[in-house]
Amino acid sequence: MEEMSSWRQRLEHTITAPLLNTSRIYYLWIAFLLVVIGWGVYAFYGQLNDGLIVTDMRDRISWGLYISTFVFFIGISHAGTLISAILRITQARWRTPITRLAEFITVVALSCGAIFVIVDMGRVDRLFNIILYGRWQSPIVWDVLAVTTYLTGSIAYLFLPMIPDMAFLRDRLAGRVSAWRLRLYSILAVGWVGNAAQKRNLGSAMTVAMLLILPIAVSVHTVVSWIFGMTLREPWNSTIFGAFFVAGAIFSGIATLIIVMAILRKIYHLEEYIHEKHFIYLGYMMGAFALIMIYANISEFLTTGYKLEEGVEFHFNQLFREEYAGFYWFYMLGGLVLPGLIILLPWTRNFWGILVAAVFVDAGMWVERYFIVVTGLRVPLMPYEPSSYSPSWVEFSIMAAGFALFALLISIFVKIFPIMAHWEVEEDYELSLASAAPAPPPGAAAEPAGGAN
Amino acid sequence: MKRELKVEKKMMGKNDGGSGASDRDDRPGEPTQPPKVSRRGVLRLFGMAAAGAAPLILLPPVLQKASDAGRVVESQGEPAKGPGGRIRQWTMIIDLRSCDGCQSQGTPPQCTTACVEGHFAPEPMEWIQIFEHELPGGGTQFIPTPCQQCQNPPCVNVCPVAATFSTPEGTVLIDQDRCIGCRICMAACPYDRRFFNWGDPPVPPEALLADYSPEHQVPAKKGTVMKCDFCPDMVRAGTLPFCIQACPNDAIYYGDLEDDVATNGKEIVAASRFLSENQAYRLKEDKGTKPRVYYIPGHGEAVGRDTADEGRLPTEWPWVERVKGAKTWRR
């Protein structure tokens, strides 16, 4: 029991430390992010004044960096909710220290992604026309619906498992943090005292949420792909586009989760809870999706390339031999094959290997999103010279601001809310002790013994 | 402490051989697991989800009615009717045998120039554009390409706000007062016939007096999409569109499929006979877009052009130069 209580104290310390102490580096980091965002806002202000002429998009390549960043963000939003729901539904116990982070990445990535559709609009002032005159037949409206539904669902799914933690903070941090923060915790705790009825209700609410969130998550990236798939463009004319995008989304989502986990684990000393095995397990998932992506690419390119219909030859040349070949091969080899190999080979299957693989996956998937959009539009429709597109400084600035906003929201989050689901980690620990009382449990119990003092 | 005791108790329960699941449920402070999911439970959930989603489906039509602007009636003239009271079905027939890209005139294509002048189309928009297409045996043909006015229009299908819409007369128009500038219609159009106002479009003083309607897209509006509107306002008033008036070789016919008649301003033909007897075709028929613009194959032979005479003069936008500080962009 001595050991258990010291384990509890350490957990409580780990959970509350980021909420109580803030270093100077943190403020510098926030200031840096705010500068990047401010610069992006300035660029966007110019774009509002002058129109989209400040970008390098033109009639023939009429979507570019903004739309690909949107697709990428919606992709990494699958990090959270989907992964955490899959793990919950399969009752994978190792999930407990990482679900909170995953769910938060979802909410933040969705919010950031949605901004990019708005940034891409020619008439931001008419945003609400979508609601006033929305047509069910339009993929854009499907998208607005799917993304807002997913965002609502993800916020609910983030909030539900946080209720007991809010109550915990409300009780434990009384007098140690500012009044507004306690007030926030107490509002968000919605009167949680932890009795059996509340626990039962929370359990059913979470089951409902996780059953609903799975089809919603799949639908979101499917309809994102249909923005492209519903047009008469040869490179986008594919029946597997929906499934392909969903697989890519989960793939890049896992990679993003691994990267964010690695960074926060280092900064907030979560090594006791997030072990190498978490990275390796997520690595296995990522490896599986790498294989799915390779398979999807082969079936996509083989069925079109074999027949080489009108426009396909041009598309293949630009992807594999000419303008974009360097990047595209980087995506295929560096973004799909290399991470797959890293996970496959035992001597690279460790924390650093998986982290490097995740970085390659995210870079590769960003490249893929960008080139799906740009090369799809570049195939000439009529007898004219193929257009070119290289994003302007405005586009790069706004994109940088988007990524800075992503980092900023996560940085702020970890200062207000607990990084890990305290009660779930604790419960998991207790369960593992209870279920394997005589022999030490493989994960949780072995660690604190070594890590004590 | 209190919590520890409970765990201890549970551990004891384990050791006693008691089932962990049964005593977990009724003890406060005990860790719970998500309840087991029964099939009925799942079905009920999906039923609830469907019921919850119903308002989402019902909402937009309600909003549309509430805003009283679900339609674009006010910006669109009454459809023109033929003698029998039937609504006209506008069509364009382009005789490629008579099109030499205005090589013989030594000018940029006159149809494009007239359209640009008549509509104050901002540079670099060519609502009717002469594409030069390579022929299989070498040499080229010229293909004047306005908006194809599809009867299965991909652009109308994808527009999120019904800013682009089909009319009873079979044309496709854009309401630039509603367009949100998402440009999905440009991605959807397989004919590259849609143009975006990337910057502040130049507006000449005389255009400021114009009465804007989707059939008369003057003045142009920043951040919205434009294209050939088929000039139904002009033909209803009894004149042919600018491009047809300006064609020196009378290569373009305009007409009404319902009345089976078409004219290039010089002669009047029976549209159906004219199309059939001259092996008329439409662009990218395999796309299933069902255009209202027909082509009669040719390479300008009727006006003495040789297929080997390649090239045409680039389009100009003379009116843009009259606007102070006009901004243009590349295509």
Side-chain angles (χ1 to χ4, degrees):
Chain A
M1 288 312 102
E2 186 70 17
E3 182 188 289
M4 194 181 284
S5 98
S6 82
W7 185 86
R8 275 228 180 74
Q9 273 170 12
R10 266 182 292 116
L11 175 63
E12 186 177 328
H13 177 75
T14 314
I15 296 274
T16 56
L19 308 175
L20 294 171
N21 319 311
T22 302
S23 67
R24 180 165 299 160
I25 296 171
Y26 178 84
Y27 286 114
L28 283 175
W29 166 242
I30 296 291
F32 165 72
L33 293 177
L34 285 175
V35 167
V36 177
I37 293 171
W39 178 252
V41 169
Y42 166 74
F44 182 58
Y45 177 74
Q47 178 180 306
L48 279 181
N49 272 336
D50 299 339
L52 288 168
I53 194 170
V54 298
T55 70
D56 197 52
M57 296 184 280
R58 289 298 179 258
D59 288 346
R60 277 168 184 155
I61 298 183
S62 55
W63 284 336
L65 204 60
Y66 296 153
I67 292 292
S68 27
T69 309
F70 158 72
V71 177
F72 181 75
F73 266 126
I74 302 296
I76 62 175
S77 81
H78 282 51
T81 306
L82 194 63
I83 293 167
S84 107
I86 290 174
L87 294 182
R88 260 189 226 282
I89 233 163
T90 53
Q91 306 199 342
R93 282 243 298 268
W94 58 272
R95 72 172 193 270
T96 49
I98 63 173
T99 46
R100 173 72 43 80
L101 262 183
E103 286 150 17
F104 193 67
I105 292 175
T106 297
V107 173
V108 171
L110 274 178
S111 315
C112 294
I115 290 173
F116 278 87
V117 202
I118 296 170
V119 166
D120 188 68
M121 285 172 63
R123 294 300 293 241
V124 183
D125 54 320
R126 295 181 185 165
L127 180 62
F128 290 102
N129 279 12
I130 293 264
I131 295 162
L132 287 175
Y133 307 118
R135 290 174 73 244
W136 289 108
Q137 301 91 324
S138 168
I140 300 251
V141 171
W142 304 344
D143 238 63
V144 171
L145 269 174
V147 170
T148 48
T149 310
Y150 189 37
L151 183 58
T152 315
S154 302
I155 290 174
Y157 193 60
L158 170 70
F159 171 63
L160 284 174
M162 204 146 74
I163 295 173
D165 282 5
M166 291 292 97
F168 170 77
L169 293 181
R170 174 196 63 195
D171 301 341
R172 289 302 164 93
L173 295 187
R176 293 160 77 188
V177 291
S178 53
W180 69 267
R181 205 190 259 206
L182 276 181
R183 211 178 144 65
L184 178 76
Y185 293 146
S186 109
I187 291 170
L188 291 180
V190 289
W192 178 269
V193 289
N195 61 35
Q198 283 183 336
K199 289 198 171 179
R200 205 171 298 126
N201 287 345
L202 180 67
S204 0
M206 277 164 59
T207 311
V208 170
M210 104 193 145
L211 285 175
L212 284 179
I213 212 82
L214 282 171
I216 294 174
V218 170
S219 79
V220 171
H221 226 72
T222 306
V223 297
V224 166
S225 85
W226 285 346
I227 286 190
F228 308 103
M230 295 299 152
T231 65
L232 297 183
R233 301 269 175 171
E234 196 49 55
W236 299 340
N237 188 15
S238 162
T239 51
I240 67 161
F241 235 40
F244 191 27
F245 267 53
V246 171
I250 302 172
F251 186 47
S252 60
I254 299 168
T256 307
L257 178 59
I258 289 172
I259 295 170
V260 175
M261 259 169 60
I263 295 171
L264 291 181
R265 180 174 94 140
K266 176 94 186 124
I267 295 176
Y268 295 113
H269 314 294
L270 307 177
E271 287 84 355
E272 188 179 335
Y273 312 98
I274 302 177
H275 312 144
E276 191 166 42
K277 87 171 174 202
H278 290 101
F279 290 92
I280 291 174
Y281 286 177
L282 285 176
Y284 285 144
M285 279 173 87
M286 193 164 75
F289 275 93
L291 292 179
I292 294 174
M293 289 298 288
I294 292 171
Y295 168 73
N297 268 301
I298 291 173
S299 68
E300 169 86 14
F301 285 126
L302 193 64
T303 45
T304 52
Y306 188 89
K307 294 170 289 194
L308 222 59
E309 278 187 67
E310 173 80 24
V312 175
E313 187 177 0
F314 179 91
H315 184 50
F316 272 52
N317 275 332
Q318 66 177 359
L319 283 188
F320 299 119
R321 296 172 57 188
E322 288 157 16
E323 291 82 2
Y324 305 116
F327 279 108
Y328 214 74
W329 282 112
F330 165 74
Y331 153 65
M332 304 278 266
L333 299 177
L336 299 179
V337 177
L338 179 69
L341 282 179
I342 290 178
I343 294 154
L344 203 66
L345 300 175
W347 51 91
T348 49
R349 198 192 301 139
N350 51 40
F351 169 72
W352 284 106
I354 303 274
L355 184 61
V356 167
V359 171
F360 269 94
V361 166
D362 260 348
M365 285 309 293
W366 190 89
V367 165
E368 193 238 9
R369 296 327 193 182
Y370 178 83
F371 288 107
I372 279 187
V373 175
V374 173
T375 62
L377 289 167
R378 189 169 173 270
V379 177
L381 296 167
M382 300 294 284
Y384 56 75
E385 280 301 305
S387 248
S388 64
Y389 167 73
S390 48
S392 70
W393 70 267
V394 174
E395 292 172 272
F396 278 123
S397 306
I398 295 179
M399 184 186 74
F403 283 106
L405 182 65
F406 179 78
L408 179 74
L409 290 175
I410 289 189
S411 306
I412 292 176
F413 174 85
V414 299
K415 285 287 157 193
I416 299 180
F417 301 110
I419 303 178
M420 294 186 295
H422 169 263
W423 67 281
E424 282 190 289
V425 172
E426 196 177 38
E427 180 186 297
D428 182 37
Y429 178 63
E430 286 166 3
L431 274 180
S432 65
L433 282 186
S435 63
E447 294 297 324
N453 312 321
Chain B
M1 291 185 358
K2 213 177 161 199
R3 284 187 71 96
E4 276 172 37
L5 277 175
K6 260 163 220 144
V7 175
E8 208 170 31
K9 248 187 235 164
K10 205 179 98 203
M11 286 165 69
M12 279 158 60
K14 263 273 175 225
N15 293 340
D16 294 345
S19 113
S22 64
D23 63 14
R24 202 183 304 136
D25 277 339
D26 36 36
R27 276 193 208 173
E30 284 288 331
T32 41
Q33 277 202 323
K36 281 244 156 57
V37 184
S38 72
R39 180 181 301 161
R40 181 181 297 172
V42 173
L43 287 176
R44 194 188 299 146
L45 272 179
F46 281 114
M48 272 156 55
L56 290 177
I57 296 167
L58 299 175
L59 202 56
V62 174
L63 282 173
Q64 220 165 53
K65 283 212 186 75
S67 70
D68 194 30
R71 297 152 300 151
V72 267
V73 178
E74 71 271 46
S75 48
Q76 184 188 332
E78 271 294 298
K81 291 183 176 156
R86 288 171 303 183
I87 297 171
R88 302 261 192 213
Q89 295 300 315
W90 302 126
T91 186
M92 204 180 264
I93 305 168
I94 301 176
D95 189 347
L96 299 182
R97 295 171 300 192
S98 301
C99 180
D100 62 355
C102 286
Q103 283 176 337
S104 57
Q105 312 294 311
T107 62
Q110 294 292 292
C111 53
T112 315
T113 306
C115 177
V116 161
E117 287 284 325
H119 292 108
F120 303 111
E123 187 175 351
M125 299 187 190
E126 296 168 84
W127 294 358
I128 181 167
Q129 181 168 0
I130 312 279
F131 285 115
E132 190 170 12
H133 179 241
E134 273 177 34
L135 292 167
T140 60
Q141 65 176 156
F142 288 107
I143 305 179
T145 318
C147 166
Q148 301 290 299
Q149 312 294 339
C150 306
Q151 300 309 293
N152 176 21
C155 52
V156 171
N157 291 342
V158 296
C159 179
V161 295
T164 187
F165 55 96
S166 297
T167 68
E169 296 171 348
T171 57
V172 174
L173 300 178
I174 305 171
D175 184 349
Q176 276 95 6
D177 283 336
R178 183 181 287 190
C179 175
I180 59 170
C182 69
R183 310 191 297 292
I184 192 171
C185 57
M186 302 177 72
C189 177
Y191 301 101
D192 180 50
R193 287 303 73 206
R194 290 183 156 250
F195 308 85
F196 191 69
N197 285 301
W198 293 98
D200 262 314
V203 176
E206 57 267 43
L208 291 171
L209 298 170
D211 198 8
Y212 169 84
S213 94
E215 294 184 346
H216 185 65
Q217 309 162 65
V218 180
K221 296 176 166 105
K222 181 170 89 174
T224 62
V225 177
M226 302 182 95
K227 69 169 190 68
C228 160
D229 52 32
F230 235 42
C231 293
D233 53 333
M234 294 179 78
V235 290
R236 244 180 259 130
T239 48
L240 287 168
F242 296 114
C243 51
I244 300 178
Q245 289 183 40
C247 179
N249 300 337
D250 305 311
I252 314 176
Y253 294 74
Y254 197 92
D256 171 16
L257 289 177
E258 191 64 51
D259 230 6
D260 201 13
V261 66
T263 179
N264 59 357
K266 287 274 160 55
E267 58 165 341
I268 296 172
V269 296
S272 55
R273 262 181 97 83
F274 191 58
L275 292 175
S276 294
E277 288 177 359
N278 296 296
Q279 301 89 39
Y281 69 99
R282 295 180 292 185
L283 297 182
K284 306 195 182 187
E285 299 236 30
D286 55 328
K287 296 276 182 208
T289 49
K290 303 190 173 67
R292 268 290 168 78
V293 176
Y294 294 86
Y295 291 89
I296 290 165
H299 54 267
E301 64 268 36
V303 289
R305 176 179 172 267
D306 191 277
T307 52
D309 296 340
E310 290 182 14
R312 64 161 173 93
L313 291 172
T315 305
E316 287 164 9
W317 285 260
W319 70 267
V320 171
E321 280 141 37
R322 301 201 301 272
V323 183
K324 253 210 247 157
K327 253 189 216 160
T328 59
W329 47 88
R330 69 174 170 81
R331 181 82 160 88

